[in-house]
């Protein structure tokens, strides 16, 4: 039976693109548990000449990774350090996207060959290394921690999608979240090896935090019938993601901190998604207005 991906707005290069529905925030206040209100300064991520930008991951040095679409519709991976944008394209690809980055600036993502095969990669010191579980048809690498452990998802010969964790050397471990009929996707891993995953059953998405062998469900209390989709997490245990409302077309970002969910929405955005977070509570994602987008963003907390 053919599986259906629940990330309809993902950067599906060939089959995906994690272009996370879209987000942002012109300025949003988030209450962090009992702490004082935190306000953010939001900044669009623009690549000169690009028709769209996606911000997917951020490390503690503030380096942001993602992708952009050029004037002829080609996907390019990118890293943004300060105001400098570096294009990251796999040499054997027709499309590339970056999803995660660790403190050593090792980047993970995926590339699509001219024949349409999607393969995950690790990019370190200018060198690409494939990240692909044995016997997989396609793979995507989405997150990496400071120990070099990588998470992502792959398609098997029956066209079912499974999450995986790679130890950075030789061992791949398959992960299937509860309730995922045909699709499980791992999105983030922190230095404690805690992993975020989403799974789909029909049109509904459910998300989980995996610690050891225990799955804990993540559900924004405002979610609609289409469920909640998780992004990444930081080393303080804070998690980001988005939920789809009952229209099926609009998404709303969320932050989970100390057991409480907080909405992260740009009041001007038609759709909002949040995909990455670092230990300084800097958040990245993508937003779209009713008349334009997608556009990546960085949200920086004010002191």
């Amino acid at each position: 039976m053919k599986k259906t991906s629940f990330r309809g707005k993902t950067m599906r290069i060939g089959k995906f693109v994690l272009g996370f529905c879209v987000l942002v925030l012109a300025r949003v206040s988030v209450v962090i548990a009992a702490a004082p209100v935190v306000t953010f300064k939001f900044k669009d991520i623009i690549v000169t000449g690009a028709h769209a930008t996606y911000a997917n991951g951020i490390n503690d040095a503030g380096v942001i990774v993602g992708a952009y679409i050029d004037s002829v519709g080609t996907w390019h991976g990118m890293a943004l350090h300060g105001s400098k944008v570096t294009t990251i394209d796999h040499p054997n690809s027709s499309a590339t996207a970056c999803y995660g980055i660790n403190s050593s600036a090792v980047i993970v993502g995926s590339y699509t060959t001219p024949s349409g095969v999607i393969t995950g990669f690790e990019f370190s010191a200018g060198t690409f290394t494939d990240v692909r579980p044995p016997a997989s048809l396609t793979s995507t690498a989405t997150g990496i921690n400071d120990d070099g452990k990588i998470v992502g998802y792959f398609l098997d010969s029956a066209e079912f999608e499974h999450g995986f964790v790679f130890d950075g050397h030789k061992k791949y471990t398959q992960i299937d979240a509860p309730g995922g009929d045909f699709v499980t996707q791992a999105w983030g891993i922190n230095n404690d090896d805690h992993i975020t995953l989403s799974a789909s059953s029909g049109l509904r998405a459910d998300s989980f935090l995996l610690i050891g062998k225990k799955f804990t469900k993540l559900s924004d209390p405002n979610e609609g019938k289409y469920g909640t989709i998780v992004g990444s997490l930081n080393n303080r245990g804070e998690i980001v993601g988005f939920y789809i409302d009952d229209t099926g077309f609009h998404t709303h970002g969320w932050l989970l901190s100390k057991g409480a969910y907080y909405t992260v929405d740009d009041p001007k955005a038609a759709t909002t998604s949040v995909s990455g977070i670092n230990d300084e509570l800097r958040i990245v994602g993508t937003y779209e207005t009713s008349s334009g987008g997608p556009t990546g963003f960085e949200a920086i907390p004010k002191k």
Side-chain angles (χ1 to χ4, degrees):
M1 186 172 186
K2 198 169 181 116
K3 62 118 186 90
T4 301
S5 174
F6 53 80
R7 285 190 182 250
K9 299 180 182 177
T10 61
M11 261 185 282
R12 169 176 171 73
I13 305 173
K15 177 223 157 185
F16 82 46
V17 182
L18 182 223
F20 277 91
C21 291
V22 263
L23 149 132
V24 265
L25 327 85
R27 198 176 190 176
V28 128
S29 294
V30 178
V31 179
I32 308 279
V37 170
V38 177
T39 57
F40 290 90
K41 178 180 180 181
F42 293 92
K43 180 173 64 175
D44 285 355
I45 294 174
I46 303 295
V47 177
T48 302
H51 283 191
T53 57
Y54 298 86
N56 298 324
I58 182 170
N59 68 9
D60 288 342
V63 181
I64 298 167
V65 294
Y68 67 90
I69 304 174
D70 68 19
S71 60
V72 297
T74 300
W75 287 87
H76 302 275
M78 71 167 187
L80 174 65
H81 193 181
S83 61
K84 182 182 178 182
V85 175
T86 301
T87 296
I88 299 172
D89 284 342
H90 192 283
N92 299 325
S93 75
S94 59
T96 302
C98 300
Y99 294 102
I101 181 170
N102 68 11
S103 295
S104 299
V106 180
I107 297 170
V108 293
S110 71
Y111 68 95
T112 304
T113 66
S115 62
V117 177
I118 303 168
T119 302
F121 68 77
E122 174 188 286
F123 180 68
S124 178
T127 299
F128 287 91
T129 303
D130 284 357
V131 176
R132 187 167 182 169
S136 60
L137 297 181
T138 67
S139 64
T140 300
T142 55
I144 182 169
N145 68 13
D146 291 341
D147 293 326
K149 294 178 181 177
I150 297 170
V151 294
Y153 54 93
F154 71 95
L155 195 69
D156 68 16
S157 59
E159 296 191 30
F160 289 2
E161 207 159 58
H162 310 274
F164 72 82
V165 58
F166 174 51
D167 68 1
H169 303 286
K170 294 182 179 180
K171 184 180 179 181
Y172 288 87
T173 301
Q174 180 175 314
I175 307 171
D176 291 305
D181 288 347
F182 310 118
V183 176
T184 294
Q185 298 177 336
W187 287 104
I189 181 169
N190 67 13
N191 290 343
D192 291 323
D193 294 343
H194 299 172
I195 297 171
T196 52
L197 307 103
S198 289
S200 68
S201 178
L203 295 176
R204 180 177 172 81
D206 291 300
S207 292
F208 302 88
L209 174 65
L210 176 61
I211 300 178
K213 295 183 178 180
K214 181 181 178 181
F215 291 89
T216 299
K217 193 169 183 180
L218 304 171
S219 297
D220 189 289
N222 297 311
E223 71 175 22
K225 61 185 177 182
Y226 297 105
T228 293
I229 299 174
V230 73
S232 192
L233 75 168
N234 64 18
N235 292 314
R236 306 195 313 189
E238 292 160 324
I239 305 171
V240 292
F242 61 93
Y243 68 89
I244 308 167
D245 67 21
D246 281 338
T247 68
F249 298 103
H250 301 294
T251 61
H252 304 275
W254 53 262
L255 164 70
L256 173 60
S257 177
K258 298 180 181 179
Y261 287 85
Y262 305 96
T263 298
V264 182
D265 265 352
D266 181 345
K268 300 187 298 300
T271 58
T272 292
S273 65
V274 184
S275 51
I277 183 172
N278 70 9
D279 292 342
E280 304 301 319
L281 201 60
R282 293 169 72 170
I283 294 171
V284 295
T286 308
Y287 76 94
E288 188 171 322
T289 67
S290 58
S291 59
T295 303
F297 78 91
E298 177 184 13
I300 304 170
K302 291 184 176 181
K303 302 296 185 182

